């Protein structure tokens, strides 16, 4: 009886193995380029899936790049409008997010040229509140660090902020950032290093002051 | 991103703090507008393609039907002429045999 059970266990495990191995394959989501090509063939659901994957990160990218909600919304809509119009010409030669953010980046540059009165004074309020004095506990310290980062991000030069946001929001690597912004890899690397250095210094400011 | 972090460019503390700050989402009205525009363009594209696909389908049907009719009539004519030759041939044979 026990021997039978012992014999049955590996057999059952072997029998289950393909199910375990192939089950995730059933859940594999089509990649962005495939969805875009399906949309080019008239599949609106494919576009919605693609859109839901990128809408929030693209919105945050434009919101923090411009510092204005209205500008972000205008450029966001213009970007997706261009993607929709160019669907039949789309060729999956690069990662879709690189293509999307390149269009967004160019739309933003065009927007700045069209609206020269656009100032860099941001109207985006930080979502987090500053601590209310007293002994800063861990949560208050985190909240203050968030506020300091938010402020430091606003004061970064536009090129550095752009590169940082492409890195964080779009998840692009240096080569892809270089492609989107139209600079070489070394320039993108240098901009990202400066941006991260300044933001890190802003987060660590009180600790640095305490140490000195 | 991780590749850059490994190169020492990214910073986990900066990334984590940024993630805590950046929680905004695209407004629902904006999502709706973009998706509506996308759907309108997709249906336009389909309708545009149907403009030439439908006449082409009709033309193909007509050509195929005519082809079938012509082929059948040619085949029937050939069969009849072959049949006629066979009949006249056997008649001649019978006449010869009768002599």
């Amino acid at each position: 009886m026990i021997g039978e059970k012992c014999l049955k266990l590996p057999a059952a495990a072997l029998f289950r193995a393909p199910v375990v191995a192939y089950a995730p394959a059933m859940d594999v989501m089509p990649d962005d380029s495939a969805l875009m090509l399906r949309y080019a063939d008239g599949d609106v659901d494919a576009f919605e899936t693609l859109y839901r994957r990128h809408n929030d990160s693209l919105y945050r990218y434009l919101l923090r790049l411009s510092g204005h909600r209205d500008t972000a919304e205008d450029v966001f809509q213009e970007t997706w409008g261009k993607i929709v119009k160019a669907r039949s010409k789309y060729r999956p030669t690069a990662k879709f997010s690189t293509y999307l953010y390149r269009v967004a980046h160019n739309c933003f540059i065009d927007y700045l040229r069209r609206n020269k009165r656009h100032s860099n004074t941001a109207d985006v309020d930080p979502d987090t509140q500053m601590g209310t004095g007293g002994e800063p506990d861990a949560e208050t310290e985190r909240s203050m660090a968030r506020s300091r980062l938010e402020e430091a991000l606003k004061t970064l030069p536009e090129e550095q902020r752009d590169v940082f946001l492409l890195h964080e929001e779009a998840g692009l690597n240096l080569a892809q950032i270089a492609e989107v912004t139209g600079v070489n890899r070394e320039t993108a690397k240098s901009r990202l290093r400066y941006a991260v250095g300044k933001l890190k210094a802003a987060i660590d400011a009180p600790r640095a002051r305490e140490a000195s | 991103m991780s590749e850059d972090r490994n190169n020492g460019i990214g910073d986990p503390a900066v990334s984590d703090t940024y993630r805590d700050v950046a929680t905004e989402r695209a407004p629902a009205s904006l999502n709706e507008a973009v998706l509506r525009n996308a759907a309108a363009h997709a249906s336009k594209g389909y309708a545009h393609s149907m403009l030439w696909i439908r006449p082409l389908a009709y033309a193909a049907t007509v050509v195929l039907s005519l082809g079938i009719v012509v082929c059948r009539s040619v085949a029937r004519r050939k069969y009849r002429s072959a049949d006629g030759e066979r009949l006249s041939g056997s008649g001649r044979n019978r006449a010869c045999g009768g002599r």
Side-chain angles (χ1 to χ4, degrees), chain A residues 39 47 51-52 55-56 59-60 64 76-77 84 87 127 146 150 165 167-169 173-174 192 196 200, chain B residues 1 4 9 11 14-15 17-27 30-31 33-35 38 41-42:
Chain A
Y39 174 58
F47 180 82
Y51 176 77
R52 299 271 179 213
N55 64 337
D56 292 333
Y59 178 72
R60 283 193 294 270
R64 297 198 185 275
F76 180 90
Q77 217 161 345
V84 164
R87 67 195 182 284
D127 287 346
R146 288 198 286 265
E150 188 92 39
L165 292 170
H167 185 253
E168 288 297 332
E169 287 296 352
N173 62 30
L174 287 173
L192 183 60
V196 171
K200 175 87 175 146
Chain B
M1 205 146 75
D4 298 335
I9 300 162
D11 184 276
V14 173
S15 286
T17 311
Y18 177 76
R19 291 275 129 236
D20 286 345
V21 169
T23 52
E24 298 90 349
R25 304 192 70 183
L30 207 53
N31 291 338
V34 170
L35 292 173
H41 273 83

Side-chain angles (χ1 to χ4, degrees), chain A residues 108-120:
Chain A
F108 180 67
I109 302 289
D110 289 346
Y111 184 92
L112 290 185
R113 281 186 195 138
R114 281 198 310 268
N115 303 275
K116 284 190 175 150
R117 59 194 170 80
H118 174 96
S119 67
N120 271 335

Side-chain angles (χ1 to χ4, degrees), chain B residues 3-94:
Chain B
E3 174 209 328
D4 298 335
R5 275 186 188 167
N6 293 339
N7 288 343
I9 300 162
D11 184 276
V14 173
S15 286
D16 294 345
T17 311
Y18 177 76
R19 291 275 129 236
D20 286 345
V21 169
T23 52
E24 298 90 349
R25 304 192 70 183
S29 57
L30 207 53
N31 291 338
E32 217 172 275
V34 170
L35 292 173
R36 209 182 311 122
N37 179 45
H41 273 83
S43 60
K44 250 187 247 168
Y46 181 72
H48 184 74
S49 67
M50 286 309 286
L51 285 177
W52 62 270
I53 285 176
R54 204 166 284 176
L56 186 72
Y58 288 145
T61 308
V62 169
V63 168
L64 277 172
S65 307
L66 277 174
I68 289 167
V69 168
V70 168
C71 279
R72 283 194 67 176
S73 63
V74 167
R76 202 174 294 159
R77 208 173 299 150
K78 272 185 184 172
Y79 175 78
R80 274 187 192 156
S81 59
D83 208 29
E85 272 175 26
R86 194 159 46 83
L87 282 172
S88 60
S90 63
R92 225 180 290 134
N93 286 344
R94 226 181 291 135

